[in-house]
Amino acid sequence: LGMAAPAALQRSVVSPAGRHTASLIFLHGSGDTGQGARAWIKQILNQDMAFQHIKIIYPTAPSRPYTPMKGAFSNVWFDRYKICNDVPEHIESIDSMCRGLTELINDEVKNGIAKNRILIGGFSMGGGMAMHLAYRFHQDLAGVFALSSFLNKDSAVYQALKRNESALPELFQCHGTADELVLYSWGEETNKMLKSLGVSASLHTFPNLNHELNRTEIEKLKSWIVKKLPVDAQKAN
């Protein structure tokens, strides 16, 4: 039996104010929605995160049984045996979502956006998903960001990078030292591992920040986004 094509992901979109020359895909944390992540950022900034030339896409993960919630249905990008960095990854669910998100990337490419003009990242589980997607399947993206995120100790991402020869997207990572759900040390270890495998990675530390976003962090992220996706690329095409 052939694999059924994954149903297109629901998405909330912030259109660029001017000509669309780049795209950003923001993946929400577990149990949230694209609409919810957008609203959260909007609440922190008192306005949508928006750019002159960058379209922002907030997709929603499909609902599925989620083991850490005793099998209750939740909007999660993949399943986990446990929220912990020393268990195996639930690789089937990760890979099937990589296919669904590849469709989303392909839609942007069909709209004339080059892959090196697309950024992907997210909060918590969304950042973990983004790292799988970019470092295993789409190494030609402009960059990756991971906010309060981590990879498991022998992640498939590390295995893929051990065999890798090509240039890799830069990683922008942020993590609060007071995070009780995804420990700061897990984020730090992920950063060290990726660096040792050739990823140019920065880690921005937020003292006393728990498992959440704050304004300083989003402003830092916005500056990095504009650095990776500068507006003047429109002169080139």
Side-chain angles (χ1 to χ4, degrees):
L1 213 75
M3 277 293 298
L9 298 166
Q10 286 185 294
R11 54 197 93 168
S12 178
V13 175
V14 181
S15 299
R19 183 159 166 259
H20 175 205
T21 66
S23 295
L24 181 148
I25 299 169
F26 188 105
L27 305 178
H28 63 74
S30 59
D32 202 355
T33 60
Q35 195 66 46
R38 174 182 175 176
W40 189 21
I41 290 174
K42 188 173 183 172
Q43 184 195 341
I44 294 168
L45 296 177
N46 294 317
Q47 59 183 7
D48 264 317
M49 177 163 74
F51 300 90
Q52 194 58 32
H53 60 299
I54 306 168
K55 170 181 173 183
I56 307 180
I57 304 162
Y58 295 95
T60 294
S63 179
R64 60 160 298 132
Y66 188 45
T67 303
M69 285 171 45
K70 301 187 169 54
F73 273 74
S74 186
N75 293 93
V76 288
W77 298 109
F78 48 86
D79 198 8
R80 284 184 170 135
Y81 297 107
K82 201 160 117 199
I83 301 176
C84 170
N85 73 343
D86 56 5
V87 295
E89 289 174 323
H90 195 287
I91 202 72
E92 296 131 284
S93 61
I94 293 173
D95 287 358
S96 100
M97 192 46 62
C98 283
R99 289 194 288 273
L101 288 164
T102 292
E103 297 287 308
L104 199 59
I105 293 171
N106 290 344
D107 282 351
E108 293 310 294
V109 173
K110 280 178 204 139
N111 289 330
I113 305 300
K115 280 181 76 182
N116 66 1
R117 296 284 292 163
I118 300 174
L119 275 179
I120 185 152
F123 175 72
S124 192
M125 175 186 260
M129 186 72 233
M131 291 187 277
H132 273 274
L133 191 65
Y135 293 120
R136 292 175 57 212
F137 301 105
H138 298 281
Q139 297 180 344
D140 46 355
L141 290 171
V144 186
F145 60 93
L147 316 173
S148 313
S149 306
F150 73 104
L151 291 169
N152 294 26
K153 282 187 191 294
D154 33 358
S155 175
V157 173
Y158 303 148
Q159 310 311 321
L161 293 180
K162 280 174 185 154
R163 300 185 297 268
N164 177 65
E165 298 296 311
S166 61
L168 296 162
E170 184 188 324
L171 175 68
F172 177 92
Q173 218 180 328
C174 295
H175 216 115
T177 58
D179 196 325
E180 287 159 15
L181 185 69
V182 174
L183 302 186
Y184 178 78
S185 60
W186 303 353
E188 197 175 32
E189 192 176 305
T190 299
N191 190 273
K192 286 195 179 113
M193 272 301 291
L194 290 171
K195 271 191 177 137
S196 75
L197 293 165
V199 175
S200 157
S202 59
L203 175 58
H204 304 267
T205 302
F206 293 83
N208 309 320
L209 185 70
N210 200 330
H211 196 64
E212 57 196 341
L213 295 171
N214 72 13
R215 189 171 185 131
T216 316
E217 179 181 9
I218 297 173
E219 296 294 356
K220 265 196 167 140
L221 174 63
K222 282 177 69 178
S223 309
W224 180 78
I225 289 167
V226 174
K227 195 179 90 197
K228 298 311 290 180
L229 300 174
V231 72
D232 56 25
Q234 31 185 292
K235 296 191 183 87
N237 42 21

